[in-house]
Structures are given as structure tokens and as C-alpha cells.
Amino acid sequence: MISVDNLAVEFSGQTLFKDVSFTINENDKIALMGKNGAGKSTMMKIIAGVQNATRGNVRSPKDTVIAYLPQHLLTKDNATVFEEASKAFAHVFEMRDEMEALNKQLETRTDYESDEYMKIIERVSDLGESYYALEDVNYDAEVEKALKGLGFKQEDFTRPTDEFSGGWRMRIELAKILLQKPDLILLDEPTNHIDIESVIWLEDFLVNKANAVLVISHDRAFIDNITNRTIEVTMGRIYDYKANYSHYLQLREDRRIHQVKAYQEQQKYIADNMQFIERFKGTYSKTNQVSSRERMLEKLEKIEIDEIDTSALKLRFPPTQRSGDYPVTVKDVSKSYDAHVVFKDANMSIARGEKVCFVGRNGEGKSTMIKAILGEIDVEGTCALGHNVKVGYFAQNQAAMLDEGLTVFQTVDEVAKGDVRTQIKNILGGFMFRGDDIEKKVSVLSGGEKTRLAMVKLLLEPVNLLILDEPTNHLDLKSKDVLKEALQNFDGTLILVSHDRDFLQGLSNKVFEFKEKRVIEHFETIDDFLIRNRVESLKGLDL
């Protein structure tokens, strides 16, 4: 369907990738994988037509529709949520309006024999053929389903888009893309700003309703559930697997074992020939053989072993004092903003050492409850922290609290104590700060880089109650593994808000569900909770 032919991208003499070719077929669901900086987003932008390649091209049949959702989006604020989402059908409405306008002209014109009159008739005929060939769709109902599936409430539909955060505006753009039903959907980290229920809805939409999909994501569960093919970008080339992510990892390991064996055999072959050349160089009777072997080595295509991160970074929280038996107690707590009730009569007791997660759609009160626990907002009822509790809190605005005058290294060195100070470079590397990155000033970092740095800083502070609100949005798979292992070994108390099911797996033994102005306690893991609720959730969300 869509052909990528010999793509190459070069920056300042450096090759990002070259001679990349593959075909995207109808109904392919492809994960585009590779380490940060390998060129995944660049390749996606070229396919989307928003960036040019140094060489090569992307070919597709006429009238192929490619829709692209980037990681970061600039939106205009001149419509309500429903109006903005309805723009997905703008081409349909434009055809309809043009037909109506032309038909009105035909009703009033009397120059039946003129060329202009005949041109109008031909245009109306062409428009009618295209318009009436479209599937009979209740467009308002489709917009409503998509918006609700992605977490919007009915009362949100008439609100201006400028009242919503960047994450919610991203959802509106995602809704527009899904409603267009394009031939190929390109998604760059689509789950970063949506809750678990919306991710489940998106998965089912992409699997059951979408045509071809190419996705970049660090959410293992998401890509495993939606993809049937994996394209890995590594060392300037690609490997194409007819497998989902988990199966691809096994196949990649097999490939690397074969590469190492072939590399070792080639190195022995090169060494043997070099030894022969050195031994007989200058020997008249061996001149032809020496020259032949030298030419052969010059032409030999060297086997390369794919890059693999073998560093085993193990990060443990520094020891701190033991807290009381119940670090968090919430009793009959209610919170309202004006006439809007967020939740009412909420109760929870979180024991020392418990790891719990807060789940529920965005806007149901998860972050509000965290602010209540921290004493940042006034509520009805009682929120109390226990004896000797030292809180470590990570939120999306945590990056704003960093000292912009310090370097990356200085920011971490400031809080690191004891033996961990000798591992600072390794720890920063585990969170994607490598080489010269550690000497950058905080002021020049991107939003995602600041968020990752704030996470590293938190992990090195001695605390016994950790509260993490969507900590994985800007982390790659390796960074998430480092964080998850640290949290599994954390002997304090953990409250975790996250939509990343793979990350949550094995981290919590209790779930607090925020739903319909209530907080419901479930004595089960997040996996058990999602299995039990999946069918019910999908029925409510509708496809």
C-alpha cells in the first residue's frame, strides 16, 4: 500500500539511517522500535510528509490518507471541543455545502445552454457521486463516541478548547484522526496523556476499526496488544519482524547470538590472513598471494554487532527513618469546586510498606486526593500523615521546581549522599542523560528532559512515603525498568498514579478506584482489577 524506498537522513555529515526500505500493507499494525536517538520519530515524520529525507522517497497510491499524531502539538483555540473534533469530517461538510450552493445557482439561472451552466452541472454530478458514495454516517454520534472513549464528558463538549491542558488537546487531535478513518495512522507516544480506560478504548479501536497503524510507544502492554509486526531502527538500518513486541525481543536475541558468532568467526579469519600477510610480506615467491589477501580484506564487508545496552544499573532508595504504622489516613473526605463535586465521603487507610495505585478516568479526583493528602488544598473531613512520615512527591510540574542555573550533574550531585555519588553518571545514563548531556544547564533542557531529571533527583532523596503521579510519561523502556526495580525494592509506602499497565504490573497490591464521585477500595492487583473491569469498561465506552 505505502512503499518506503531507500530512505536516508544525514545531519552535518552524520548518518542517522540509510538505505531503509519497507512496505506498509493494509491492516498492518506496526511498532517502530529502537533506542532514543535512533531516528524513529524522524522516520515517522518523513512518512507523514512533514519532514524531508536526504535521499529516498515514500510512495503511496493516489487519494491515500495518512494521519499523523506527533508527541508535541500546537493547537488553535477558536472552537469548542465538539466543533474541533467535528473538523474530522470537514471535507464531507464542504462537499455538502458546495452541492447545496451550486444547486441553488441552478435553480435561479436561466442560461441553460451556456458553458458555465454545463460546468456547474458537471461539478454537481461529480460532487454527488463522491458524496452519496460515502457510508451513511451519523457524524454527531461518531464524534460523541470518540470523545467519550478518550475521556471527555458530555458537559465538556461545549467548552472552548483553550480551557483544556495540552494533554487534553492532544486527545481532541487523536479523536479527529480516528474519526477520519485514514489508510495509515501514525502515532508517536499516543498513550502519554490518557488514562487506563481510554488506553483500553484506543487499543480496541486500533485493532478492530483502524486500517494500517505505525506506532512509537514505550508502553509495552499497549504495543503488544495492538501490533502484529515490529520494525527496529538500529545503527542506521532496520530489521523487520512479523511479530509483536514480546516475540520480537526473543527474535532479536536470537539474531544477536548469530551476529556474535559470525563476528567472532570473521575476526579469526581476518587475524589469520593478517598473520599470513605480515609473515610473508617482502617474500618474492609469496608476493601474489600477499597482494590477493590484502585486496580481499579491503573488500571484505565487516560484520557489525547491533548495539545493546548491557549495563545493569540497580538503583536503591537511600535508607531513612521508619514511619508510623499508617502513613496515610483519609476519613470522610469530600471535595467540591463551586457546584462541582469531585468526590465525597472518601475513606482510606494505607499501612506502612503498602504499595497502592489510584485508577480512574482523568478528572475523577486522583490528583485532587493527592493534593489533599499533602495538605495543599482544603477539604471536608480529615486527611492525616502518620508519625515520622517523610514524603517524596513527583508530579508533572515537578520539573518547574528545578534550579535552572545548575547543570544536570550538579542537580543530582546536590542530593546524592554516600556511595551513590560514585554512580551518578551511570544513574543519569539510565535515564537517558549520556556523554555531554550531563554538563548541560537545566535551563536548556526540554520539558521531557527536565521531567526525567526531576525523577532522578527524587530517587536519591531519603523518603519513606513516595507519591508518584504519572511518572513514566517521558521515560524509555530501559528507564522505566530502572525505576520499576527501584520501586519494587523500596521498603517504604508507595502511592502510584499511572496509566501504564506494564509498569503497574507487580507494583501494587491494592487499588483505589475513583469513579462517579466515589473512592472504592479493591484488595487486588492492578491486573486482576483490569481483567475484572475490561468488559464492563468497554461496554460503557463503546466503539
Side-chain angles (χ1 to χ4, degrees):
M1 183 180 77
I2 296 170
S3 176
V4 176
D5 300 322
N6 297 311
L7 281 191
V9 171
E10 296 168 355
F11 296 110
S12 305
Q14 296 290 318
T15 299
L16 188 60
F17 51 77
K18 64 178 180 179
D19 302 328
V20 169
S21 297
F22 60 92
T23 300
I24 302 173
N25 304 302
E26 189 176 357
N27 296 319
D28 271 349
K29 305 294 192 294
I30 304 170
L32 191 58
M33 305 303 296
K35 71 172 191 177
N36 283 62
K40 304 185 299 295
S41 292
T42 299
M43 191 176 295
M44 183 172 280
K45 288 174 184 175
I46 293 168
I47 296 170
V50 299
Q51 183 170 326
N52 294 323
T54 307
R55 293 185 302 279
N57 51 63
V58 178
R59 304 178 192 276
S60 59
K62 186 182 177 184
D63 299 327
T64 297
V65 178
I66 299 176
Y68 169 53
L69 183 77
Q71 279 195 59
H72 306 289
L73 199 64
L74 292 174
T75 56
K76 295 179 180 178
D77 302 314
N78 59 357
T80 66
V81 169
F82 196 89
E83 289 168 345
E84 189 63 36
S86 296
K87 290 178 182 178
F89 302 117
H91 63 294
V92 178
F93 301 147
E94 286 167 5
M95 278 196 293
R96 181 194 61 194
D97 293 345
E98 187 180 353
M99 271 198 309
E100 289 177 357
L102 291 173
N103 278 320
K104 283 182 181 177
Q105 282 192 48
L106 292 176
E107 289 173 8
T108 57
R109 295 179 74 111
T110 57
D111 54 336
Y112 308 119
E113 304 298 327
S114 69
D115 290 342
E116 190 174 348
Y117 191 90
M118 295 308 296
K119 285 179 182 177
I120 294 174
I121 289 178
E122 287 176 13
R123 178 61 179 159
V124 170
S125 176
D126 290 342
L127 284 169
E129 188 175 340
S130 299
Y131 183 75
Y132 293 113
L134 293 171
E135 182 184 353
D136 188 17
V137 172
N138 182 335
Y139 296 108
D140 285 355
E142 291 298 304
V143 171
E144 183 173 331
K145 283 181 187 178
L147 289 174
K148 285 187 174 178
L150 291 169
F152 290 94
K153 298 176 182 177
Q154 191 80 34
E155 55 265 32
D156 293 330
F157 293 178
T158 55
R159 291 172 58 192
T161 58
D162 62 4
E163 292 184 6
F164 292 86
S165 67
W168 282 97
R169 295 190 212 186
M170 186 73 78
R171 295 187 192 210
I172 299 171
E173 291 303 307
L174 180 55
K176 286 160 65 176
I177 286 173
L178 301 181
L179 288 166
Q180 289 173 43
K181 298 182 181 175
D183 300 288
L184 172 62
I185 298 176
L186 304 172
L187 302 173
D188 196 348
E189 295 292 355
T191 65
N192 272 2
H193 300 287
I194 56 179
D195 51 50
I196 287 178
E197 287 188 342
S198 297
V199 172
I200 291 172
W201 180 90
L202 177 59
E203 283 177 1
D204 280 83
F205 188 100
L206 294 174
V207 171
N208 297 313
K209 288 285 188 82
N211 296 310
V213 177
L214 182 67
V215 61
I216 298 169
S217 177
H218 292 134
D219 185 329
R220 280 191 185 94
F222 177 72
I223 53 178
D224 258 350
N225 288 341
I226 70 164
T227 60
N228 52 26
R229 182 176 166 194
T230 304
I231 294 177
E232 179 190 12
V233 186
T234 178
M235 296 178 68
R237 58 181 181 267
I238 67 164
Y239 292 93
D240 195 344
Y241 298 88
K242 303 296 187 288
N244 70 0
Y245 179 72
S246 292
H247 189 201
Y248 141 78
L249 289 178
Q250 299 169 15
L251 296 173
R252 184 182 67 173
E253 182 58 28
D254 292 342
R255 183 187 85 215
R256 195 171 187 281
I257 290 170
H258 289 117
Q259 278 182 339
V260 171
K261 184 178 179 182
Y263 174 81
Q264 290 171 342
E265 290 174 353
Q266 188 183 66
Q267 290 300 303
K268 184 178 185 305
Y269 176 77
I270 292 171
D272 289 345
N273 280 283
M274 288 297 296
Q275 188 178 20
F276 180 91
I277 292 167
E278 290 299 321
R279 181 178 178 184
F280 294 109
K281 205 174 220 178
T283 304
Y284 181 76
S285 61
K286 300 286 188 181
T287 299
N288 289 340
Q289 288 175 276
V290 168
S291 298
S292 175
R293 295 197 183 203
E294 285 177 332
R295 288 194 300 272
M296 183 261 308
L297 289 180
E298 286 173 6
K299 294 178 182 178
L300 185 66
E301 186 174 342
K302 300 291 196 302
I303 293 172
E304 292 181 299
I305 300 174
D306 292 335
E307 293 176 316
I308 187 166
D309 194 345
T310 56
S311 60
L313 176 63
K314 296 199 179 287
L315 186 59
R316 295 189 70 91
F317 287 89
T320 188
Q321 293 177 306
R322 179 185 173 102
S323 73
D325 290 342
Y326 288 93
V328 176
T329 303
V330 173
K331 187 173 181 181
D332 299 327
V333 168
S334 300
K335 180 61 182 176
S336 300
Y337 291 102
D338 297 325
H340 174 64
V341 177
V342 182
F343 47 72
K344 57 185 177 181
D345 301 325
N347 290 279
M348 63 176 72
S349 293
I350 301 176
R352 182 181 60 245
E354 271 194 323
K355 294 181 171 68
V356 307
C357 61
F358 289 178
V359 302
R361 286 196 162 193
N362 289 42
E364 292 286 353
K366 303 185 297 296
S367 296
T368 302
M369 178 61 78
I370 287 173
K371 290 176 182 175
I373 291 170
L374 294 173
E376 293 181 359
I377 57 173
D378 294 327
V379 293
E380 295 178 33
T382 304
C383 279
L385 292 176
H387 173 69
N388 215 22
V389 169
K390 182 167 177 56
V391 180
Y393 174 44
F394 179 86
Q396 289 305 300
N397 64 350
Q398 208 70 22
M401 302 178 189
L402 296 173
D403 185 341
E404 298 209 336
L406 298 179
T407 66
V408 169
F409 184 88
Q410 288 168 338
T411 300
V412 178
D413 188 49
E414 194 176 58
V415 295
K417 307 292 182 188
D419 292 343
V420 77
R421 298 189 73 236
T422 64
Q423 297 186 57
I424 289 176
K425 288 185 179 180
N426 289 336
I427 293 168
L428 286 169
F431 285 83
M432 299 183 281
F433 293 102
R434 299 180 178 94
D436 295 338
D437 291 343
I438 67 172
E439 298 304 326
K440 286 181 179 177
K441 292 275 190 182
V442 172
S443 59
V444 304
L445 299 181
S446 68
E449 287 171 327
K450 287 180 180 177
T451 300
R452 295 199 308 271
L453 183 58
M455 174 60 69
V456 175
K457 185 178 178 183
L458 175 62
L459 292 180
L460 296 179
E461 293 177 346
V463 299
N464 51 34
L465 171 61
L466 261 180
I467 302 176
L468 306 180
D469 193 352
E470 298 292 0
T472 65
N473 279 358
H474 295 283
L475 303 185
D476 68 357
L477 289 166
K478 186 201 166 193
S479 302
K480 287 201 289 189
D481 287 342
V482 171
L483 174 59
K484 184 172 180 176
E485 186 175 1
L487 294 177
Q488 286 172 327
N489 294 323
F490 178 55
D491 58 8
T493 307
L494 173 66
I495 298 175
L496 183 58
V497 180
S498 176
H499 63 264
D500 188 327
R501 290 154 296 164
D502 180 75
F503 181 75
L504 286 170
Q505 187 177 33
L507 269 182
S508 69
N509 47 26
K510 186 188 289 186
V511 175
F512 287 99
E513 181 184 14
F514 288 70
K515 184 177 183 180
E516 297 171 353
K517 301 177 175 50
R518 296 189 302 145
V519 181
I520 308 160
E521 186 174 19
H522 300 280
F523 293 90
E524 57 189 349
T525 66
I526 187 64
D527 289 327
D528 293 335
F529 172 80
L530 287 172
I531 290 168
R532 186 170 54 79
N533 281 273
R534 184 177 178 89
V535 173
E536 181 183 333
S537 294
L538 289 175
K539 278 181 185 174
L541 294 173
D542 202 354
L543 280 182

